[in-house]
Amino acid sequence: MVKQLFNWPKTFNWYSFALYRYKVYDVIWKVSATAVIGANIYLAVSLVQTWNESVHRTWQHYARKERERAELMDYIRQAREKGVLPPSKVHGFE
């Protein structure tokens, strides 16, 4: 029993072990490469979506400001037409 225990390195098929080990390494390499490529694609999509949301938010802010400015100019024009506000000192400005 003890003799067999110390004799296994001589009877073990090291060539078969090396082949299986390289097959495992190949699988680990393929999984790692696929994970890295997938992570890069995910980050790229996330970056584009974040950029798009930022541009959209900026545009909404600009559009709201312009709408509020137009409404204010309309209120001022209506008040001047009714005579509530005096005429503007600046002429030709819209």
Side-chain angles (χ1 to χ4, degrees), residues 5-91:
L5 187 64
F6 291 115
N7 199 22
W8 75 267
K10 294 177 185 171
T11 60
F12 188 74
N13 187 351
W14 290 102
Y15 179 75
S16 177
F17 173 74
L19 287 180
Y20 284 121
R21 184 181 63 183
Y22 291 135
K23 285 182 182 179
V24 169
Y25 290 167
D26 286 344
V27 169
I28 290 172
W29 167 254
K30 288 176 186 174
V31 168
S32 300
T34 304
V36 167
I37 291 170
N40 282 334
I41 291 171
Y42 171 78
L43 288 174
V45 168
S46 176
L47 176 77
V48 169
Q49 287 177 343
T50 303
W51 181 271
N52 190 24
E53 289 173 4
S54 176
V55 169
H56 184 65
R57 188 177 303 115
T58 303
W59 169 253
Q60 284 179 334
H61 178 71
Y62 170 76
R64 190 188 89 231
K65 288 288 212 179
E66 284 297 312
R67 185 178 64 246
E68 290 173 354
R69 187 191 66 78
E71 289 174 0
L72 181 62
M73 293 295 288
D74 190 45
Y75 290 147
I76 292 171
R77 183 185 55 78
Q78 289 174 4
R80 287 201 173 121
E81 286 175 356
K82 292 179 183 176
V84 177
L85 286 176
S88 175
K89 295 178 185 176
V90 179
H91 294 288

